[in-house]
Amino acid sequence: EDQVTQSPEALRLQEGESSSLNCSYTVSGLRGLFWYRQDPGKGPEFLFTLYSAGEEKEKERLKATLTKKESFLHITAPKPEDSATYLCAFASSNDYKLSFGAGTTVTVRA
Amino acid sequence: DGGITQSPKYLFRKEGQNVTLSCEQNLNHDAMYWYRQDPGQGLRLIYYSQIVNDFQKGDIAEGYSVSREKKESFPLTVTSAQKNPTAFYLCASRDFRSYEQYFGPGTRLTVT
């Protein structure tokens, strides 16, 4: 059965303290692995799409990587404005639906 | 500006009443989706539509209905048959050439 699990559920960081979020997935025929950022009370904001193992993408202090079983979102020298819930999702070859993890809530203290 | 709009932002209803949530997009996307988000859970798919006048049930369609009469619009009706309708509802759209979905701002529905 296709599924995705994110860890940890919550992460508290000091400003400047780099860390990584994990997204473990099991899918038959990966079409894409997606990362979103969601602020409280708002809709998810698209960050990255990764298509194949070994691929990496960066945006400001965020870097997403992909292996055959996991994706990581690395946050380098985070700032308080990086505080949000980060969601990962995948699309399988079966259809165009996305399956979402429960998210990791990141809090960055000044 | 291109984007997805959802209205209203907050909605309050009494138990037993049907309520319709609006979703409009001007991105010229073909596919549209409705998700429900509850605390501590991932987004769960309610309904989706890949083309006008066609839609499919998602994982939790019971108690919900949709229509897709125009490419730009995909309203969701939460019926009185939905046992636990209080939640944050998100609409998304996708261009047919990619898998990426783009989300609206959401509607928080409270039923008492």
Side-chain angles (χ1 to χ4, degrees):
Chain A
E1 181 184 345
D2 295 348
Q3 61 180 358
V4 56
T5 304
Q6 291 188 248
S7 62
E9 290 184 12
L11 189 60
R12 293 176 64 85
L13 301 172
Q14 198 67 34
E15 184 172 4
E17 178 189 1
S18 302
S19 189
S20 296
L21 285 57
N22 177 267
C23 173
S24 297
Y25 65 92
T26 304
V27 59
S28 52
L30 180 72
R31 289 293 188 181
L33 189 293
F34 308 87
W35 283 97
Y36 289 85
R37 169 193 170 123
Q38 186 175 24
D39 292 306
K42 297 189 176 181
E45 172 191 349
F46 171 75
L47 293 173
F48 305 109
T49 305
L50 302 167
Y51 292 103
S52 57
E55 189 175 0
E56 299 182 351
K57 288 193 177 173
E58 288 188 66
K59 180 179 180 180
E60 296 181 356
R61 294 176 293 281
L62 302 177
K63 179 180 176 180
T65 62
L66 183 66
T67 72
K68 289 187 177 180
K69 295 182 178 181
E70 299 175 296
S71 179
F72 293 93
L73 185 66
H74 308 278
I75 309 178
T76 301
K79 298 182 177 181
E81 53 261 43
D82 295 321
S83 297
T85 296
Y86 292 87
L87 305 171
C88 79
F90 67 80
S92 72
S93 58
N94 295 328
D95 52 45
Y96 285 89
K97 296 184 289 184
L98 296 186
S99 297
F100 281 84
T104 295
T105 299
V106 175
T107 305
V108 182
R109 297 166 290 174
Chain B
D1 286 336
I4 303 173
T5 58
Q6 292 186 243
S7 61
K9 186 174 176 64
Y10 299 98
L11 191 53
F12 299 89
R13 280 293 182 271
K14 294 290 187 183
E15 198 173 309
Q17 293 179 334
N18 291 355
V19 61
T20 298
L21 282 59
S22 169
C23 178
E24 303 278 332
Q25 54 99 1
N26 60 5
L27 300 168
N28 199 33
H29 284 175
D30 302 279
M32 297 186 74
Y33 302 79
W34 274 106
Y35 293 89
R36 170 184 173 135
Q37 188 174 35
D38 296 283
Q41 297 192 39
L43 276 65
R44 292 184 289 167
L45 183 64
I46 304 172
Y47 268 98
Y48 64 104
S49 167
Q50 310 238 47
I51 57 173
V52 174
N53 292 323
D54 188 46
F55 48 83
Q56 289 78 40
K57 293 182 179 180
D59 301 317
I60 56 165
E62 185 176 349
Y64 300 97
S65 65
V66 293
S67 63
R68 185 87 187 277
E69 298 177 0
K70 298 187 299 182
K71 187 175 183 178
E72 303 79 21
S73 178
F74 191 40
L76 173 74
T77 296
V78 184
T79 75
S80 57
Q82 168 51 230
K83 295 180 181 179
N84 187 18
T86 295
F88 189 49
Y89 289 88
L90 289 159
C91 178
S93 69
R94 175 184 65 81
D95 182 86
F96 78 95
R97 294 166 293 183
S98 74
Y99 288 84
E100 296 145 10
Q101 295 182 19
Y102 295 87
F103 286 84
T107 291
R108 185 165 300 280
L109 173 64
T110 303
V111 177
T112 59

